[in-house]
Amino acid sequence: MNDKAPDPPLLEVQNIDVFYGGIHAIKNVSLAVPRGQLTALIGANGAGKTTTLKAICGLQPPRNGMVVFDRQNITGFAPHRCVEHGLVLCPEGRRIFPDLTVDENLALGAYTRNDAEIAGDMQGMRDLFPILKERATQLAGTLSGGEQQMLALGRALMSRPKLLMLDEPSLGLAPLIIDRIFEVLKELKSRRVTILLVEQNARKALEIADHAYVLETGRVVNQGDPKILLRDDTVMKAYLGG
Ligand SMILES: Nc1ncnc2c1ncn2[C@@H]1O[C@H](COP(=O)(O)OP(=O)(O)OP(=O)(O)O)[C@@H](O)[C@H]1O
Ligand SMILES: [Mg+2]
């Protein structure tokens, strides 16, 4: 045994193909998410970012290829089993429960847990997102878009995910709120939460990521150090407005 063998990535996607009926949406995509790091997946509208996340967490299982999570082959596992394994998707459009209060939504995030630290984690979320403390008893459906995004993030974190997958957390939000969301992501990064971040806001995603993949019409066309991608002419032209 070699004690110095490197820790394998928390998530490894190997050569997956995903179809919607006859539409070949994801073509031979491979990617890795190392533990404790923030990995970004960027790409234009319709590139296949959401489909990749869905394939990972069982919502749209791949036809070929493999998804290995925490050293286990989870390819085709049902979504609830993925959640039980600590693989949590915070979907596009937030999907909070509008008729429940902020606190009730947060508490639901912990439904897979039965440990003694849930109350402490609730307090931790209120510290991380002070607005959720102010709005604790308010119905979630009455929150602004940015507040709903914070709640969706907080709820996902309440499950203590091993991997947090975020689908466009900045979508449709005002610039100041987007800055706040990215501040929270930076804070989570400093806490070594493992994150796979999907964004159309490529510049902001590349600024905080440890590693990034560029998806184009269902294929990974580029990957590497985000600082280098930020200086790459083709990436700049395609995703960063020249
Ligand atoms: N339910 C579906 N049925 C058929 N085709 C789909 C379905 N969902 C997505 N697609 C197609 O799969 C491709 C990838 O879509 P996907 O939603 O993964 O892209 P995306 O990168 O997340 O785009 P966006 O930035 O708009 O969210 C697109 O061509 C899209 O039209
Ligand atoms: Mg999408």
Side-chain angles (χ1 to χ4, degrees), residues 82-131:
C82 292
V83 173
E84 285 161 13
H85 278 78
L87 182 57
V88 170
L89 170 66
C90 203
E92 204 177 340
R94 351 268 192 233
R95 311 269 176 80
I96 46 112
F97 297 99
D99 299 327
L100 299 181
T101 67
V102 166
D103 266 0
E104 286 165 345
N105 268 276
L106 279 179
L108 273 175
Y111 81 98
T112 53
R113 297 171 53 187
N114 58 6
D115 56 273
E117 291 166 33
I118 294 174
D121 281 6
M122 286 282 282
Q123 191 50 50
M125 290 310 133
R126 295 181 192 118
D127 296 340
L128 187 59
F129 306 101
I131 191 72

Side-chain angles (χ1 to χ4, degrees), residues 42 182 199-209 226 230 236 239-242:
I42 62 171
F182 275 87
E199 265 296 338
Q200 268 196 57
N201 199 329
R203 186 184 300 275
K204 278 198 128 36
L206 292 176
E207 278 168 2
I208 63 165
L230 272 168
M236 287 293 277
Y239 310 108
L240 305 173

Side-chain angles (χ1 to χ4, degrees), residues 12-195:
E12 272 181 288
V13 173
Q14 299 168 359
N15 309 101
I16 59 165
D17 285 290
V18 186
F19 289 77
Y20 292 106
I23 299 168
H24 194 175
I26 296 297
K27 297 159 189 151
N28 197 34
V29 163
S30 298
L31 57 87
V33 178
R35 285 170 206 273
Q37 292 196 10
L38 194 155
T39 303
L41 180 59
I42 62 171
N45 262 313
K49 304 181 297 296
T50 299
T51 305
T52 301
L53 297 185
K54 285 183 171 171
I56 293 167
C57 70
L59 287 165
Q60 190 70 29
R63 187 177 292 181
N64 307 306
M66 200 151 77
V67 180
V68 179
F69 180 64
D70 208 11
R71 301 167 199 254
Q72 189 178 0
N73 182 355
I74 61 154
T75 318
F77 273 26
H80 72 272
R81 283 187 72 196
C82 292
V83 173
E84 285 161 13
H85 278 78
L87 182 57
V88 170
L89 170 66
C90 203
E92 204 177 340
R94 351 268 192 233
R95 311 269 176 80
I96 46 112
F97 297 99
D99 299 327
L100 299 181
T101 67
V102 166
D103 266 0
E104 286 165 345
N105 268 276
L106 279 179
L108 273 175
Y111 81 98
T112 53
R113 297 171 53 187
N114 58 6
D115 56 273
E117 291 166 33
I118 294 174
D121 281 6
M122 286 282 282
Q123 191 50 50
M125 290 310 133
R126 295 181 192 118
D127 296 340
L128 187 59
F129 306 101
I131 191 72
L132 299 184
K133 187 175 181 179
E134 271 174 47
R135 304 286 156 93
T137 59
Q138 192 171 321
L139 293 184
T142 65
L143 299 178
S144 72
E147 291 163 355
Q148 291 191 13
Q149 184 60 59
M150 309 273 179
L151 179 55
L153 262 171
R155 188 183 59 187
L157 288 166
M158 280 302 293
S159 69
R160 288 201 180 177
K162 285 184 193 150
L163 173 64
L164 180 60
M165 301 199 294
L166 302 173
D167 195 356
E168 309 233 24
S170 76
L171 191 72
L173 301 179
L176 275 175
I177 312 292
I178 293 177
D179 288 347
R180 178 70 193 118
I181 299 277
F182 275 87
E183 271 169 34
V184 169
L185 295 183
K186 258 188 216 154
E187 171 62 27
L188 296 177
K189 196 176 131 143
S190 75
R191 297 182 188 185
R192 307 275 296 158
V193 177
T194 310
I195 296 174

